[in-house]
């Protein structure tokens, strides 16, 4: 069994082991934490084996699975998928620790589904076979619907059904595109294949490519989530326990951005280039809507979700600039977003435990209630404000040449987003009578400190990550460039 | 033994056992007697393998017919513990129970004939037996629809005779192909009447049958699609007309099934209505035609029988007490609820389940047939289907259990049925290749 298979087997096995009913709650949680920690170790081992000077898939594992349908169990890793896998592997044990005392009923099922979710997300990032990717993606959605629907707040049923209908609807759109591409490839090559590399050279009419591109784009846009599809995230963020919120807001939606980079653009490069300004427009609308609604938010859960919508809009803008620096900046923002938003969600949960509220207005005097917690929260807020702003302006600069209006609007959006963070910081600094201080507990420090360190690393010295993405970004741009030149 | 006789033996065993149970009424162990009949029929079906690809007069013995025959018997075998559990809870009399078992076996005999014959008149008679049995199991029999459907089929069969001079599918095909004046409207009309009539006979009962009737009706769908596959395989000259009729039927079935399922709040009502959605998918597979279409339909029929009857058995187990509903019972009856949730998610097309593989198989055939617009409509229906299935799963676990809830025991028979179905759905979902290879081999062995 290769390392990549191990990355799937460990959390999946953990899900099966945790599912066995145990008497003591701490045993369930300890087991879940152990399996997620082992997954992180395996992910780090994969990191040491990847060669970042090439963009080819590495550590490729191919197993025959369903030859009757032309489906293989084909896994591979490159720079982009590796970093997303690492992000997932880091955030899973953190999510488990964050939910340590939060889930009181059905812990067995909850942590089992959470580990299954981790395996499915990692599988989606590692799948080279499109059928396999689709299968993992759908597994993620079903698991998320269950986590929100069964362990959420009062309106959990509505939130989970909205999440399910929107995201599964998007996945069915992808299914349609997969079926057409598979048939087209079979007709053109004579052999059935779901290998995504084989679909990068499909000969399509402009009309067909246009329809297929937009179909796939919207399938992933719902997942990202782009405006006006963000409602599933807002609802899920409000109704879910901390672990689910962390996963939904930081890990799951990255599959949308990843899908655009891995499938939509490589399969339909001409359409991607042609419609890039339109996509940028949609991205900018997301940035503006996310930023304005974030600035007006009174609930910290909705604030985090709306900030996410804005940030993912920036990521999308960066991807469709089709310059190496913009694409690398987009990936960096996507990765760092996982950590600072994850940290903010966990911090909000800790604040709620102390103040009884998610309302931002009730965060007054936070510095006096939990001084160290406040410092950590401010560092995370700074990361959330500075990293997307700094690299976002890199993206805006790259976008200006092709889409100046969208570029200017995006800059306005970034400015408005800063207002949201400043407001948050200002409220927390307001004076307030405090009866007793409630310092951070050991478990809480264990969750927050790594996140803060990762955010600081990505903000101050992201050079290693950016250099690691050179080959991948270069190949991505070259692929589009080659097809655009050919068609001209 | 001549092939005609060999094909009749499994049906005969069921018929004799069923007749005994109906007529004798006070058989001391009707459940055991029914099982003996089913097992005897299974063994006779397995003996048909000797007649791998044989035809004689009005019957054909091929792997498709044999496999579907076994599938019908699996469906009947799963129905028996359901019938037993329902009669035990409902306090039925021995006579009524014995009659019900007998009716189920007689219906199964008709189903076995339906998948083996290529004579339209015999097919009509077989379907009549099945639908008459279903009407007995229904409390709300709609005689009007029954008569309309019977008339439609009979007129269609008669029109085939007029157009070709025969009731035999092979002879009809030969006559139509060699016609100098072309096919004409008559055979197309005949086909439409027959196919629509069959659907009217066997599909709407799913909406109005009770706890015992629905499993029998589900097994009857195997017979329906077995007959359609045989007709589709023989009447190649009517290929386009067949595809058009089936596509129309598929869409109507999906829409009606989804609409009904959305409006129902009871567990069994949602399930039985949703079966129409799956029948629509099966019709798509038959419309696609060819060996692959046949394989896809056979696989999905297998999946539907196992998923549907497994979920139905679990739903019987969850049941509803006099005071409470089914909502919130996930925590008090975890085994039934988890199994049902898994089987329902399979029916919704969740990954790593047999339902996902079957659905993908059928959908993959619709694209080459250039039915892209139809595929999009189908996907929309699948989304609706996902919605009400998720509502059920959330209703089981996300609602609060009534204070006065009394847990209902599943019983040994139903427990075995649920476990077997769940394991099959999971294994065939995670490792579908053996099952897919088997159905492809079966689909190749067709006249």
């Amino acid at each position: 069994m290769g390392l990549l298979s191990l990355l799937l087997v460990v959390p999946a096995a953990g899900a099966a082991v945790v599912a066995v009913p145990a008497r003591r709650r701490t045993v369930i949680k300890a087991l879940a934490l152990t399996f997620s920690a082992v997954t992180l170790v395996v992910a780090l081992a994969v990191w040491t084996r990847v060669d970042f000077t090439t963009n080819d898939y590495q550590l490729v594992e191919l197993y025959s699975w369903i030859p009757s349908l032309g489906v293989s169990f084909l896994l591979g890793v490159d720079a982009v998928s590796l970093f997303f896998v690492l992000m997932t592997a880091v955030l899973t044990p953190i999510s488990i620790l964050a939910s340590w005392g939060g889930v009181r009923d059905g812990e067995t099922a909850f942590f089992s589904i959470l580990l299954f979710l981790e395996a499915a997300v990692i599988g989606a990032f590692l799948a080279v076979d499109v059928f396999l990717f689709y299968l993992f993606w759908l597994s993620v959605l079903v698991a998320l619907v269950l986590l929100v629907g069964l362990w959420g707040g009062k309106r959990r049923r509505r939130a989970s059904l909205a999440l399910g209908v929107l995201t599964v609807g998007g996945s069915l759109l992808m299914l349609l595109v997969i079926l057409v591409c598979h048939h087209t490839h079979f007709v053109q090559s004579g052999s059935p294949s779901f290998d995504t590399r084989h679909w990068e050279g499909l000969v399509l009419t402009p009309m067909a490519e246009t329809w297929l591109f937009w179909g796939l784009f919207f399938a992933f846009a719902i997942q990202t989530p782009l405006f006006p599809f963000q409602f599933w995230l807002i609802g899920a963020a409000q109704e879910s326990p901390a672990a689910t919120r962390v996963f939904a807001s930081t890990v799951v939606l990255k599959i949308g951005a990843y899908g655009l980079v891995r499938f939509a653009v490589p399969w339909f490069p001409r359409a991607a280039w042609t419609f890039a300004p339109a996509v940028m427009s949609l991205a900018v609308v997301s940035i503006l809507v996310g930023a304005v609604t974030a600035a007006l938010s009174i609930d910290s859960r909705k604030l985090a979700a709306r900030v996410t919508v804005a940030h993912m809009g920036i990521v999308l803008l960066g991807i469709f600039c089709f310059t190496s620096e913009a694409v690398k900046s987009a990936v960096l923002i996507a990765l760092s977003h996982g950590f600072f938003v994850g940290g903010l969600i966990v911090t909000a949960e800790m604040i709620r435990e102390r103040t009884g509220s998610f309302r931002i207005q009730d965060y007054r005097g936070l510095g006096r209630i939990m001084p160290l917690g406040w410092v950590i929260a401010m560092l995370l807020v700074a990361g959330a404000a500075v990293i997307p702003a700094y690299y976002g302006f890199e993206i805006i600069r790259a976008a200006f040449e092709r889409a100046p209006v969208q570029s200017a609007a995006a800059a306005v959006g970034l400015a408005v987003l800063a207002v949201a963070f400043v407001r948050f910081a200002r409220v927390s600094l307001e004076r307030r009578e405090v009866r007793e201080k409630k310092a951070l507990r050991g478990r809480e420090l264990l969750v927050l400190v790594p996140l803060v360190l990762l955010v600081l690393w990505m903000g101050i010295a992201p050079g290693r990550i950016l250099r690691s993405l050179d080959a991948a970004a270069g190949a991505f741009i070259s692929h589009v460039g080659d097809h655009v030149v050919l068609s001209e | 033994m001549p092939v005609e006789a060999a094909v009749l033996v499994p049906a005969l065993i069921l018929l004799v056992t069923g007749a005994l149970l109906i007529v004798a009424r006070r058989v001391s162990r009707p459940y055991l007697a029914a099982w003996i009949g089913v097992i005897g029929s299974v063994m006779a079906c397995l003996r048909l393998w000797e007649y791998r690809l044989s035809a004689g007069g009005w019957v054909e013995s091929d792997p498709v017919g044999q496999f579907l025959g076994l599938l019908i018997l699996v469906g009947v075998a799963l129905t028996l513990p359901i019938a037993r559990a329902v009669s035990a809870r409902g306090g039925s009399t021995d006579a009524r129970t014995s009659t019900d078992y007998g009716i189920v076996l007689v219906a199964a005999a008709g189903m076995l004939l339906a998948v083996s014959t290529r004579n339209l008149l015999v097919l009509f008679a077989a379907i009549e037996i099945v639908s008459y049995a279903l009407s007995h199991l229904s409390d709300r029999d709609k005689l009007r629809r029954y008569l309309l459907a019977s008339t439609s089929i009979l007129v269609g069969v008669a029109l085939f005779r007029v157009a070709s001079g025969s009731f035999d599918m092979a002879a009809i095909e030969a006559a139509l192909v060699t016609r100098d004046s072309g096919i004409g409207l008559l055979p197309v009309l005949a086909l439409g009447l027959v196919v629509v009539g069959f659907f009217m006979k066997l599909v709407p009962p799913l909406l109005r049958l009770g706890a015992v009737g629905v499993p029998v009706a589900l097994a009857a769908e195997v017979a329906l699609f077995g007959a359609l596959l045989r007709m589709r395989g023989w009447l190649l000259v009517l290929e386009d007309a067949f595809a058009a009729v089936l596509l129309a039927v598929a869409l109507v079935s999906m829409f009606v099934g989804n609409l009904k399922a959305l409006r129902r709040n009871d567990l069994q009502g949602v399930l039985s209505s949703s079966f129409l959605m799956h029948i629509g998918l099966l019709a798509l597979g038959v419309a696609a035609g060819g060996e692959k279409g046949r394989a896809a339909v056979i696989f999905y029929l297998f999946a539907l029988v196992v998923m549907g009857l497994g979920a139905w058995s679990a739903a019987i187990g969850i049941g509803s007490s006099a005071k409470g509903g089914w909502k919130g019972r996930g925590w008090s009856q975890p085994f039934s609820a988890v199994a049902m949730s898994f089987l329902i998610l399979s029916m919704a097309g969740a990954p790593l389940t047999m339902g996902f593989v079957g659905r993908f198989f059928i959908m993959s055939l619709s694209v080459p047939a250039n039915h892209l617009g139809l595929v999009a409509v189908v996907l929309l229906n699948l989304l609706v289907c996902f919605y009400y299935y998720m509502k059920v799963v959330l209703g089981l676990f996300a609602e609060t259990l009534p204070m006065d809830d009394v847990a209902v025991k599943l019983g040994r028979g139903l427990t075995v049925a649920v476990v077997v179905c769940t394991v099959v759905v999971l294994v065939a979902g995670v490792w579908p290749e053996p099952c897919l290879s088997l159905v492809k081999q079966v689909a190749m062995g067709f006249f």
Side-chain angles (χ1 to χ4, degrees):
Chain A
M1 187 187 296
L3 273 179
L4 298 189
S5 299
L6 205 56
L7 268 177
L8 301 181
V9 165
V10 169
V17 167
V18 167
V20 174
R23 272 192 209 165
R24 296 186 60 186
R25 287 178 173 156
T26 42
V27 169
I28 299 165
K29 295 171 201 177
L31 277 172
L33 192 62
T34 306
F35 276 99
S36 65
V38 171
T39 308
L40 178 57
V41 168
V42 176
L44 291 169
V46 169
W47 189 12
T48 62
R49 283 167 167 74
V50 168
D51 177 8
F52 293 102
T53 60
T54 170
N55 184 52
D56 296 332
Y57 278 111
Q58 299 170 57
L59 305 177
V60 174
E61 294 176 31
L62 172 62
Y63 306 102
S64 178
W65 184 26
I66 318 175
S68 298
L69 294 178
V71 175
S72 309
F73 196 86
L74 179 59
L75 302 175
V77 70
D78 69 356
V80 175
S81 52
L82 172 69
F83 285 122
F84 282 124
V85 167
L86 282 168
M87 182 192 70
T88 307
V90 165
L91 286 171
T92 305
I94 282 171
S95 301
I96 292 170
L97 284 169
S99 286
W100 204 261
V103 176
R104 296 194 190 285
D105 296 315
E107 293 101 329
T108 303
F110 180 83
F111 288 107
S112 176
I113 295 174
L114 198 66
L115 285 172
F116 174 80
L117 183 57
E118 181 187 19
V121 169
I122 291 175
F125 288 134
L126 295 179
V128 181
D129 184 288
V130 179
F131 181 97
L132 194 63
F133 169 83
Y134 184 74
L135 185 140
F136 280 127
W137 185 24
L138 211 51
S139 304
V140 167
L141 300 180
V142 171
L144 197 62
V145 169
L146 291 174
L147 285 175
V148 173
L150 304 185
W151 284 277
K154 283 185 190 162
R155 283 178 287 208
R156 59 183 180 273
R157 277 192 59 177
R158 202 165 122 185
S160 68
L161 285 171
L163 185 165
V165 167
L166 271 174
T167 54
V168 170
S171 75
L172 289 174
L173 204 49
M174 186 184 184
L175 178 62
L176 182 60
V177 173
I178 288 175
L179 292 173
V180 173
C181 287
H182 179 247
H183 173 66
T184 307
H185 176 264
F186 177 65
V187 164
Q188 291 177 2
S189 69
S191 65
S193 171
F194 282 96
D195 190 326
T196 181
R197 295 169 293 189
H198 297 167
W199 291 11
E200 291 178 14
L202 290 177
V203 177
L204 297 163
T205 64
M207 180 66 86
E209 187 166 338
T210 299
W211 279 104
L212 291 171
F213 169 74
W214 281 114
L216 201 59
F217 174 80
F218 278 110
F220 289 123
I222 292 170
Q223 187 74 21
T224 301
L226 211 58
F227 177 82
F229 306 114
Q230 79 276 20
F231 299 102
W232 71 259
L233 180 64
I234 310 290
Q238 198 161 8
E239 296 301 324
S240 312
T244 313
R245 232 180 297 144
V246 169
F247 248 89
S249 301
T250 63
V251 174
V252 169
L253 49 85
K254 297 300 178 347
I255 298 176
Y258 176 79
L260 289 167
V261 169
R262 179 66 70 213
F263 304 117
V265 173
W267 292 353
F268 315 117
R270 285 169 294 263
W273 175 259
T274 305
F275 295 109
V279 171
M280 288 186 199
S281 300
L282 292 171
V284 163
V285 171
S286 252
I287 296 169
L288 288 169
V289 169
V292 168
T293 51
L296 297 172
S297 289
I298 55 174
D299 184 306
S300 60
R301 292 168 298 182
K302 285 186 175 178
L303 169 68
R306 287 160 176 165
V307 161
T308 295
V309 171
H311 284 166
M312 294 312 294
I314 299 170
V315 169
L316 204 64
L317 187 69
I319 292 170
F320 279 84
C321 282
F322 295 126
T323 68
S324 183
E325 289 310 311
V327 170
K328 288 193 299 185
S329 298
V331 173
L332 185 69
I333 292 173
L335 290 172
S336 60
H337 167 272
F339 302 125
F340 56 68
V341 167
L344 286 173
I345 290 171
V346 171
T347 310
E349 191 66 28
M350 293 172 189
I351 296 171
R352 195 228 11 116
E353 285 176 14
R354 286 154 176 82
T355 64
S357 170
F358 281 112
R359 285 168 53 91
I360 295 171
Q361 278 305 112
D362 295 334
Y363 289 3
R364 289 180 301 127
L366 194 64
R368 302 183 83 191
I369 299 172
M370 39 187 261
L372 182 57
W374 178 82
V375 169
I376 288 174
M378 288 304 107
L379 284 171
L380 291 169
V381 166
V386 169
I387 297 175
Y390 182 81
Y391 291 96
F393 274 107
E394 179 62 49
I395 291 169
I396 287 167
R397 203 168 55 86
F400 189 79
E401 197 183 309
R402 210 162 167 214
V405 173
Q406 293 90 326
S407 173
V412 170
L414 281 178
V416 173
L417 204 56
V419 168
F421 294 120
V422 165
R423 181 172 155 257
F424 182 87
R426 184 183 58 75
V427 168
S428 70
L429 283 168
E430 283 178 14
R431 284 179 178 276
R432 177 180 163 176
E433 278 301 314
V434 169
R435 264 184 253 146
E436 60 166 321
K437 291 185 182 180
K438 296 177 186 177
L440 288 180
R441 294 182 281 266
R443 177 175 55 82
E444 292 168 333
L445 280 170
L446 199 59
V447 168
L448 288 174
V449 168
L451 287 174
V452 168
L453 290 175
L454 283 164
V455 168
L456 285 174
W457 173 45
M458 287 186 155
I460 297 168
R464 188 175 174 183
I465 298 176
L466 290 171
R467 281 190 300 276
S468 303
L469 292 168
D470 276 339
F476 179 74
I477 305 304
S478 299
H479 178 77
V480 174
D482 291 343
H483 282 85
V484 168
V485 165
L486 273 171
S487 67
E488 284 168 0
Chain B
M1 190 191 294
V3 63
E4 284 159 304
V7 167
L8 271 178
V9 168
L12 214 56
I13 294 172
L14 290 173
L15 190 62
V16 166
T17 322
L20 201 69
L21 287 165
I22 293 169
V23 169
R25 286 196 161 205
R26 292 202 184 274
V27 172
S28 63
R29 283 177 157 188
Y31 188 63
L32 183 62
W35 267 107
I36 291 171
V38 169
I39 291 169
S41 187
V42 167
M43 289 171 68
C45 264
L46 291 172
R47 287 289 310 271
L48 280 174
W49 195 250
E50 293 171 18
Y51 301 86
R52 199 117 196 262
L53 267 172
S54 311
W58 53 277
V59 295
E60 284 171 344
S61 178
D62 54 29
V64 172
Q66 290 152 19
F67 186 86
L68 293 180
L70 284 170
L71 194 54
I72 287 165
L73 292 169
V74 164
V76 169
L78 289 169
T79 304
L80 293 178
I82 292 171
R84 192 184 201 197
V86 168
S87 69
R89 285 178 200 175
S92 293
T93 61
D94 284 349
R96 171 74 200 226
T97 308
S98 182
T99 306
D100 282 349
Y101 291 147
I103 296 288
V104 169
L105 294 186
V106 168
M111 294 178 208
L112 290 182
L113 286 176
V115 297
S116 306
T117 184
R118 70 180 196 204
N119 185 296
L120 289 176
L121 212 50
V122 173
L123 179 58
F124 169 64
I127 298 293
E128 280 294 299
I129 294 170
V130 176
S131 66
Y132 204 69
L134 290 175
S135 72
H136 170 85
L137 294 169
S138 164
D139 294 328
R140 297 180 286 128
D141 189 17
K142 299 246 171 161
L143 198 57
R144 279 197 312 269
R145 199 177 294 151
Y146 180 91
L147 286 174
L148 195 62
S150 294
T151 312
S152 175
I153 299 169
L154 203 52
V155 167
V157 170
L159 286 175
F160 267 124
R161 171 88 165 119
V162 167
S164 65
S166 174
F167 293 118
D168 183 89
M169 292 179 203
I172 292 170
E173 166 74 4
L176 292 177
V177 161
T178 54
R179 261 171 112 172
D180 292 329
S181 53
I183 303 167
L185 197 54
L186 211 57
V188 174
L189 187 60
L191 180 72
L193 286 169
V194 166
V195 171
V196 171
F198 282 154
F199 274 95
M200 281 174 65
K201 273 273 181 191
L202 296 182
V203 175
L206 283 167
L207 297 174
R208 57 179 194 267
L209 286 170
V212 178
V214 167
V216 179
L218 207 55
E221 307 314 330
V222 178
L224 169 65
F225 282 94
L228 286 173
L229 282 176
R230 199 166 295 285
M231 284 179 69
R232 183 83 165 86
W234 275 115
L235 302 176
L236 292 170
V237 70
L238 293 171
E239 204 170 32
D240 293 337
F242 225 126
V245 171
L246 285 170
L247 291 178
V249 165
L251 284 175
V252 170
S253 191
M254 284 188 202
F255 275 122
V256 170
N258 277 340
L259 276 170
K260 294 270 183 189
L262 280 171
R263 287 163 68 178
R264 298 292 293 259
N265 279 321
D266 57 313
L267 210 52
Q268 290 172 12
V270 173
L271 266 181
S272 59
S273 303
S274 73
F275 289 150
L276 266 74
M277 216 291 303
H278 299 279
I279 284 164
L281 270 182
L282 283 164
L284 273 188
V286 180
E291 210 173 275
K292 277 189 178 170
R294 221 165 21 243
V297 169
I298 293 169
F299 184 90
Y300 205 75
L301 277 171
F302 185 13
L304 187 59
V305 165
V306 177
M307 294 185 303
L309 294 186
W312 194 262
S313 304
I316 302 278
I318 291 169
S320 56
S321 64
K323 291 172 191 165
W326 55 273
K327 293 186 179 179
R329 287 200 162 204
W331 304 108
S332 68
Q333 292 177 263
F335 171 74
S336 300
V338 169
M340 180 166 180
S341 298
F342 177 75
L343 291 164
I344 270 184
L345 285 175
S346 178
M347 289 164 71
L352 298 175
T353 65
M354 203 174 178
F356 176 79
V357 177
R359 198 173 272 195
F360 192 89
F361 199 175
I362 287 186
M363 300 298 296
S364 69
L365 299 171
S366 300
V367 168
N370 291 318
H371 298 140
L372 275 183
L374 176 73
V375 169
V377 172
V378 169
L379 291 176
L380 204 59
N381 275 282
L382 293 182
L383 184 60
V384 174
C385 170
F386 174 82
Y387 171 74
Y388 55 69
Y389 279 147
M390 278 315 303
K391 269 181 75 177
V392 168
V393 174
L394 293 176
L396 281 171
F397 292 100
E399 298 284 339
T400 319
L401 189 67
M403 292 293 287
D404 53 359
D405 182 67
V406 176
V408 178
K409 273 189 123 180
L410 197 58
R412 192 168 42 190
L414 285 184
T415 303
V416 169
V418 169
V419 168
V420 167
C421 291
T422 306
V423 168
V424 169
V425 166
L426 179 63
V427 170
V430 172
W431 190 35
E433 184 59 25
C435 195
L436 284 170
S437 297
L438 173 65
V439 298
K440 281 192 168 179
Q441 288 286 323
V442 167
M444 272 167 50
F446 194 65
F447 267 98

